[in-house]
Amino acid sequence: MDIEEAGTVFTDPRAYADDARFHAATALLRRESPVHLVEHPRFNPFWAITRHEDVMAIARDAETWINAPRPALGPKPKDDVRSDIPIRALVQMDAPDHPVYRHVSADWFKPSGVRRLSGRIEELARRYVDHMAGLGGECDFFADVASHYPLYVILSLLGLPEEDFPRMLKLTQELFGADDEDLARRAGDTGFMDTLLDFFTYFKTLTDDRRANPGDDLASGIANATINGEPIGDLEAVGYYVLIATAGHDTTSAAIAGGLHALLEHPDQWRRLAADPSLVPTAVEEMIRWVSPVKQFMRTATEDTTVRGVPIARGESVLLSYPSANRDEDVFENPGTFDVGRTPNRHMAFGFGAHYCLGTHLARLEGRALFAELVPRVASIELAGTPAYMETLFVGGPKRLPIRYTMA
Ligand code: HEM
């Protein structure tokens, strides 16, 4: 593989479904071209940043590097559509708006806010492991467990009714799986717009309802929030729900399913975890590093600057490659080894700086609850077919994980 070919992994959704190809390419880029210009006819040009130190330095400097107008990589039409979409969520915002809007939900996501949900999360974890047991020894762990459980958690946090689950599941998968043929409603960018419109309709109704009948759920908190003394706008409220419903769902599903896949591919690590459940927290952290469910976010330069000596002009964009940063040889000992006891684990899967993932505590709690319930109850477990990974440019993990198991 030459360096130009290596640079194509960021624009090819199939590359994220092929771990070996992706990691070979990004290892080469980290070594030989860590600030790499990618030019592709379907995409506006960008610089791919693959080293941990550089990703962190850019994410930390929110004055030089802003999220608008291109918070994440998509094909050219999506860049244009994005600037037309009136919905602005946190990831599209910068200071001074960003901290004000982030503040609206920040308390809900603090450890104290999330702890209120821990009983419900443990109950859901038990429900899904029971469900697995009831499936009689074989299932698709992604479809049957991992894709549902985090959505239930998010619905609980937002305060939405469980009967809306199938609709939300489909919509979030369409939004994030739009580059995968199995998941996209239709090929092309109009499908993406239709999905957004469905989201809007659903959440606009929710906002109206929570304004009329406020409760103590996060949806009520958002619908009735004030921004600089004024009630939050409808579009901003909807943007908020969409972000939380989507950001909090597919990411955690990917970490859980990809995490189990990693354990099955490394049976010594499964045995180690089964023998010592106190390793669950470090194991979950390692799963998140290993899978790196969020493949990239972008930043755009507000002034002429340099990264690792490479000049980058004002208005040019950089892609922060979290999966690459998380295998950086300069930061991780044996980065290609899956180690359930890895300490320290300075992975960047949750990003860094002003936009650092709001849902880290929730995601960790979910992962820990599930594996703490699952591992002791399983007597034997193995792959029952070939797993498949989502083709994506943004968020992804397994889309099929066939397993065979006996419960203790
Ligand atoms: C393993 C699971 C997860 C991963 C890997 C993940 C990853 C990320 C990343 C990389 C960012 C961008 C950070 C940056 O730009 O520096 C982010 C932002 C965000 N995440 Fe997560 N996330 C996960 C779970 C969740 C959950 C459960 C929620 C809960 C609702 C959530 C809500 C958010 C929100 C609201 C933002 C935007 C924050 C902002 O722009 O200020 N995430 N996440």
Side-chain angles (χ1 to χ4, degrees):
M1 180 183 315
D2 66 20
I3 207 79
E4 288 316 309
E5 197 189 335
T8 63
V9 292
F10 304 104
T11 51
D12 179 0
R14 286 168 308 182
Y16 289 114
D18 180 351
D19 239 28
R21 173 179 164 203
F22 181 83
H23 288 300
T26 47
L28 182 66
L29 289 166
R30 283 194 300 276
R31 212 167 43 241
E32 292 184 13
S33 184
V35 183
H36 184 76
L37 182 63
V38 179
E39 293 182 291
H40 184 288
R42 284 184 63 228
F43 295 81
N44 290 313
F46 62 92
W47 298 89
I49 310 295
T50 43
R51 286 212 190 156
H52 189 283
E53 185 186 355
D54 299 338
V55 172
M56 191 178 262
I58 292 169
R60 159 182 282 152
D61 179 1
E63 273 182 27
T64 311
W65 299 103
I66 55 173
N67 279 39
R70 202 184 176 193
L73 183 69
K76 275 179 190 166
K78 227 180 241 181
D79 278 350
D80 300 339
V81 166
R82 277 211 175 96
S83 45
D84 291 347
I85 293 176
I87 296 180
R88 272 167 78 233
L90 287 181
V91 291
Q92 275 111 13
M93 292 181 186
D94 296 289
D97 292 348
H98 175 255
V100 175
Y101 281 88
R102 191 169 158 112
H103 182 71
V104 167
S105 66
D107 280 351
W108 291 85
F109 289 105
K110 283 186 180 152
S112 52
V114 167
R115 229 175 285 126
R116 290 192 321 152
L117 271 184
S118 59
R120 170 82 173 140
I121 293 176
E122 282 161 17
E123 177 202 322
L124 287 170
R126 207 169 315 117
R127 195 198 290 184
Y128 276 100
V129 177
D130 287 346
H131 175 61
M132 222 179 110
L135 290 172
E138 269 198 38
C139 75
D140 177 342
F141 185 77
F142 176 73
D144 295 320
V145 177
S147 70
H148 297 201
Y149 160 70
L151 187 63
Y152 263 54
V153 174
I154 287 298
L155 294 185
S156 305
L157 181 73
L158 278 170
L160 306 192
E162 282 193 14
E163 61 264 26
D164 293 353
F165 163 68
R167 184 169 174 192
M168 297 304 301
L169 179 66
K170 197 154 169 288
L171 286 175
T172 55
Q173 287 180 342
E174 282 169 0
L175 198 62
F176 278 150
D179 298 305
D180 189 290
E181 276 184 10
D182 286 351
L183 299 173
R185 171 188 297 199
R186 298 198 286 277
D189 295 307
T190 45
F192 176 77
M193 284 307 281
D194 285 354
T195 304
L196 270 184
L197 202 67
D198 279 1
F199 261 116
F200 181 81
T201 311
Y202 178 88
F203 284 118
K204 173 73 176 87
T205 312
L206 181 74
T207 308
D208 293 344
D209 176 68
R210 292 304 196 272
R211 283 182 182 154
N213 312 294
D216 65 353
D217 52 21
L218 175 57
S220 298
I222 293 171
N224 297 292
T226 51
I227 302 287
N228 302 323
E230 299 289 326
I232 190 169
D234 281 351
L235 289 175
E236 274 79 12
V238 170
Y240 227 116
Y241 302 131
V242 173
L243 178 68
I244 286 172
T246 52
H249 171 206
D250 285 19
T251 47
T252 317
S253 302
I256 289 170
L260 181 65
H261 185 201
L263 283 173
L264 299 183
E265 281 189 312
H266 303 88
D268 58 319
Q269 297 300 305
W270 173 281
R271 284 192 295 274
R272 207 175 143 201
L273 187 57
D276 180 2
S278 73
L279 289 175
V280 164
T282 51
V284 167
E285 218 52 36
E286 179 70 339
M287 294 176 199
I288 295 170
R289 177 187 81 93
W290 191 254
V291 180
S292 291
V294 176
K295 305 307 176 193
Q296 46 91 11
F297 267 105
M298 295 186 94
R299 299 290 188 270
T300 297
T302 55
E303 57 189 56
D304 293 352
T305 183
T306 58
V307 178
R308 208 170 271 280
V310 176
I312 298 194
R314 175 168 186 252
E316 289 185 340
S317 305
V318 292
L319 175 144
L320 309 180
S321 178
Y322 305 119
S324 171
N326 287 343
R327 298 284 174 107
D328 190 329
E329 304 71 8
D330 287 349
V331 175
F332 300 96
E333 213 173 295
N334 303 322
T337 301
F338 179 73
D339 172 3
V340 293
R342 184 180 289 278
T343 327
N345 189 346
R346 297 197 302 118
H347 71 74
M348 289 210 50
F350 291 120
F352 195 77
H355 289 269
Y356 182 65
C357 175
L358 260 179
T360 51
H361 301 299
L362 187 60
R364 287 181 172 130
L365 202 64
E366 282 177 51
R368 290 173 190 179
L370 189 76
F371 285 97
E373 181 73 25
L374 177 69
V375 174
R377 286 180 60 185
V378 165
S380 71
I381 185 163
E382 61 184 3
L383 284 174
T386 312
Y389 275 66
M390 224 183 262
E391 294 179 10
T392 181
L393 288 174
F394 186 31
V395 172
K399 64 176 176 184
R400 195 167 59 239
L401 187 63
I403 56 170
R404 188 177 305 118
Y405 47 92
T406 50
M407 306 297 277

